[in-house]
Amino acid sequence: MKDYYYFLGISQDASEEDIKKAYRKLSLKYHPDKNENDDFFADRFREIQEAYEILSDSGRRHTYDQNLESHQRSFRYNIPPAIKTFTSNKIHAKKGEEIIINWQTSNADVVKVLPFGLEKPYGERIFKITEFKDGKFQLLLHATNSLLHKTVVQGITITEVFDHPADKFKNNVEEMFKPQPRTRINQSGHPKIVMLIFGIIILIIAIYFLVKNLS
């Protein structure tokens, strides 16, 4: 059962004003128009919308609270959560390549797959990696028993690969030899002193030959 209070980050005894404030704050943060229509933000925004529609209506909220309480009572609260499976069809992938992950948990009433957000206790997700961090993409499965206040976590790391092995080497080399911005030396610095000394030497030599020719 979905925990709408969790979606909005509020407690079950939150007031109507608390619900409105949480909704306004989160809807601005996760609105797809402000996040380049990213699928993660779009899904999160829909969760927030759904939660607000239920909790802002007193009649629907009352019915929801009764069902939530019944669900929590029937839940096997005395057994800690567990992750049975959490797998990916690939652990090496290129940018834009399709990835499929599967998971199954038990005794967990709140399940999250990061970076995507809340999910069902078991399921499958298909996605594409658009960006790696230091050549890696991290997935984390959180399975929580909220009545016991216990959470178990399992991770999957997907490593970036390139079309050609030389591509990564090329990128590293280009970064190493990337032109660095030059720092301009103030005209009153050492170059001016060197030129002054050089000019004096030339002047002395010129005077020497002039005197020699006159004599």
Side-chain angles (χ1 to χ4, degrees):
M1 183 176 183
K2 294 181 179 179
D3 189 337
Y4 292 136
Y5 295 101
Y6 180 86
F7 285 3
L8 295 179
I10 55 178
S11 61
Q12 292 185 23
D13 59 355
S15 65
E16 291 183 12
E17 187 61 26
D18 292 334
I19 294 171
K20 289 180 181 178
K21 286 181 179 178
Y23 169 72
R24 284 196 293 266
K25 179 180 178 181
L26 293 173
S27 61
L28 287 173
K29 179 179 179 181
Y30 290 102
H31 199 286
D33 291 345
K34 292 188 176 182
N35 296 282
E36 299 180 352
N37 293 314
D38 185 282
D39 289 343
F40 165 71
F41 289 98
D43 290 344
R44 187 77 177 92
F45 184 73
R46 280 194 292 269
E47 292 172 348
I48 295 165
Q49 290 278 86
E50 182 181 339
Y52 180 71
E53 289 174 3
I54 297 296
L55 299 183
S56 62
D57 184 305
S58 58
R60 298 174 73 181
R61 181 181 180 182
H62 178 69
T63 301
Y64 170 76
D65 286 344
Q66 288 182 323
N67 292 334
L68 181 63
E69 184 179 354
S70 175
H71 170 76
Q72 290 176 336
R73 282 200 305 267
S74 64
F75 192 75
R76 292 182 291 174
Y77 61 87
N78 60 331
I79 303 176
I83 297 175
K84 293 184 176 180
T85 59
F86 184 40
T87 60
S88 171
N89 68 325
K90 298 174 183 177
I91 57 172
H92 303 287
K94 296 179 292 186
K95 284 184 182 180
E97 192 170 355
E98 190 173 87
I99 306 293
I100 303 174
I101 58 172
N102 293 271
W103 67 91
Q104 184 174 2
T105 67
S106 60
N107 310 315
D109 58 336
V110 179
V111 176
K112 292 188 294 182
V113 177
L114 300 179
F116 307 117
L118 291 167
E119 298 283 0
K120 295 179 180 179
Y122 59 90
E124 175 182 285
R125 176 179 275 268
I126 302 173
F127 64 98
K128 294 180 180 180
I129 301 176
T130 58
E131 194 63 43
F132 288 85
K133 183 177 181 181
D134 297 326
K136 298 183 184 300
F137 185 86
Q138 186 74 40
L139 293 158
L140 292 174
L141 172 62
H142 291 242
T144 300
N145 183 322
S146 60
L147 300 178
L148 282 180
H149 302 290
K150 290 186 176 181
T151 300
V152 290
V153 181
Q154 187 172 325
I156 296 174
T157 300
I158 299 175
T159 305
E160 183 178 12
V161 296
F162 298 85
D163 290 327
H164 301 287
D167 289 348
K168 186 174 182 180
F169 176 76
K170 179 182 177 182
N171 290 343
N172 292 336
V173 170
E174 288 178 350
E175 185 65 26
M176 288 173 60
F177 291 96
K178 183 178 180 181
Q180 300 299 316
R182 295 182 178 180
T183 302
R184 296 183 63 182
I185 300 176
N186 192 295
Q187 291 183 356
S188 61
H190 295 296
K192 185 175 180 179
I193 295 174
V194 173
M195 292 301 294
L196 179 61
I197 295 174
F198 182 74
I200 293 173
I201 294 173
I202 296 297
L203 181 60
I204 292 172
I205 294 173
I207 293 172
Y208 168 77
F209 282 105
L210 179 61
V211 173
K212 185 176 179 180
N213 291 333
L214 291 175
S215 62

